[in-house]
Amino acid sequence: MTTDSSAPGAQQIAAGYAFEGPALEVGTVVVDGVCDPTAQVRIPLATVNRHGLVAGATGTGKTKSLQVIAEQLSAAGVPCLMADIKGDLSGLSRPGEAGEKIQQRAKDTGDDWTPTAYPVEFLSLGTSGIGVPVRATISSFGPILLSKVLGLNQTQESTLGLIFHWADQKGLPLLDLKDLRAVIQFLTSDDGKPELKALGAVSKTTAGVILRALVNLEADGGDTFFGEPELEPKDLMRLDAQGRGIISLLEVGEQAARPVMFSTFLMWVLADLFTTLPEVGDLDKPKLVFFFDEAHLLFTDASKAFLEQVEQTVKLIRSKGVGVFFCTQLPTDVPNAVLSQLGARIQHALRAFTPDDQKALAKTVRTYPKTGVYDLEEALTSLGIGEAIVTVLSEKGAPTPVAWTRVRAPRSLMDTIGPDAIASAAKASPLQAEYGQTVDRDSAYERLSARMAPPPAMPPAADPQLPPPLPVDVGGATASGEVKSRGTAEPGMLEKVMDSPAFKSAMRSAGTVIGREITRSIFGTGRRRRR
């Protein structure tokens, strides 16, 4: 397409993107099909923690827009975590290849294009992938996020929260799937009936449904993900020797059978950062930027409690110096309460073939500021590949003018580098020593197995001159995880509390705000072992 620096309206639009501080270069303004290489469209680096949305139909250039943004964030010293479900982003680790199309795109966007490689860390969800394996424990993942992965309804989610609480109170660490499975099997056994009855709101039938869902998750490869060593979010916030932010690419591996695990894990990391990072307010640049690819998986069939926690996390994580970009096909995939908090909008072409498509298109138009330059409904269905309708927040927090934008070409390779190269890079990673080997320490499975084991043979008669042995009850545990004795003469304080009507009433409220505060912190994080 030809370029013309005198394109009407282009400079007026670009004036709204003339920021004083450092900014990410998105591309250049297009008006009436003419691209102005001097009319730059930019995102202020200081407002990236106000979050963003990259949307558009398949094949319209969303992934390349993410690549362009991640490259510039890395160069500015900002680490990124990106979901690389299809492996398309692995080319970030290699310099791009010059060609006629690249040169034309550079000319259109006023870019002094130079092939550049960026520091990349390849991670895999669980131990079945080719990257450095990352895991989470069942306990720190929490009942709300786990319910999302298991596809539980609201009643079952509340029941799972009660089971988590019981395990906490009994000193039974939930580290992997076999730990949670052992707890539920015990509660539904004859020996566990009194404990199940004490929980009040937990039915054996509902517990059985949860148990079957766990078995299905294990069959889908979930057993390779839950466990230790658990990912430390600070390992996602590293710089290389040149001061560039390291881009962590998370691939799905064999978890493809349950893709919701992918987006839910990213939400767990975000919630854990929310719990652990200090308040920093507005910074010159964010500490870390998250990219949620296939964001619709995060919200589809989500419970009310889950959506509330996502909204709260996205709203408040900004003050911790963390930015979040959601990537999906339709803006309507993201709930309005979350969508309203996304300051940057990069909307690639939409398709409008069906009545539902038309409704989604109309809703998308209403989310943009008014413009006298474009007919947005027509523009959104006419965008070329690598073009987008853009509006962002200025340094003062005001929306910029709507700009039809030709997006810059990535400077890294726009292709995958292949599984062998990824596996080789992962083996050479400094994170391999920390996360490469699975750790299976004493937890709920081992403790309940010992409790359910047949009693040992009677010992020989004790010497009457020796003091009698101390009674042992495996029900309680110290803060360090060691089993302690409560004695056998009378019920301990925990039993008295659990038998009280007030405690049972609180347990029945586990789905409410009060109940969630009793069971665990936001999304269940905050109980992890820190190294």
Side-chain angles (χ1 to χ4, degrees), residues 281-320:
D282 290 325
L283 302 173
D284 293 337
K285 62 182 180 182
K287 291 183 174 181
L288 176 69
V289 176
F290 265 71
F291 292 90
F292 277 83
D293 200 3
E294 304 294 340
H296 66 280
L297 297 174
L298 191 65
F299 302 108
T300 303
D301 298 326
S303 69
K304 182 180 179 181
F306 181 89
L307 292 176
E308 287 175 351
Q309 297 290 18
V310 172
E311 179 185 352
Q312 180 185 5
T313 305
V314 172
K315 181 178 180 179
L316 300 179
I317 198 73
R318 175 187 66 79
S319 63
K320 305 294 183 87

Side-chain angles (χ1 to χ4, degrees), residues 95-162:
E97 298 176 351
E100 184 178 342
K101 291 183 178 180
I102 292 289
Q103 295 302 326
Q104 183 60 52
R105 180 66 60 138
K107 182 179 178 182
D108 288 349
T109 56
D111 179 20
D112 183 17
W113 188 87
T114 305
T116 310
Y118 297 86
V120 173
E121 193 77 70
F122 295 99
L123 309 177
S124 291
L125 197 61
T127 60
S128 59
I130 58 178
V132 176
V134 294
R135 311 169 183 82
T137 63
I138 289 284
S139 183
S140 69
F141 209 69
I144 295 178
L145 287 178
L146 186 58
S147 295
K148 171 66 175 170
V149 172
L150 295 175
L152 304 183
N153 62 30
Q154 189 170 348
T155 299
Q156 294 158 355
E157 178 184 290
S158 179
T159 297
L160 186 60
L162 292 173

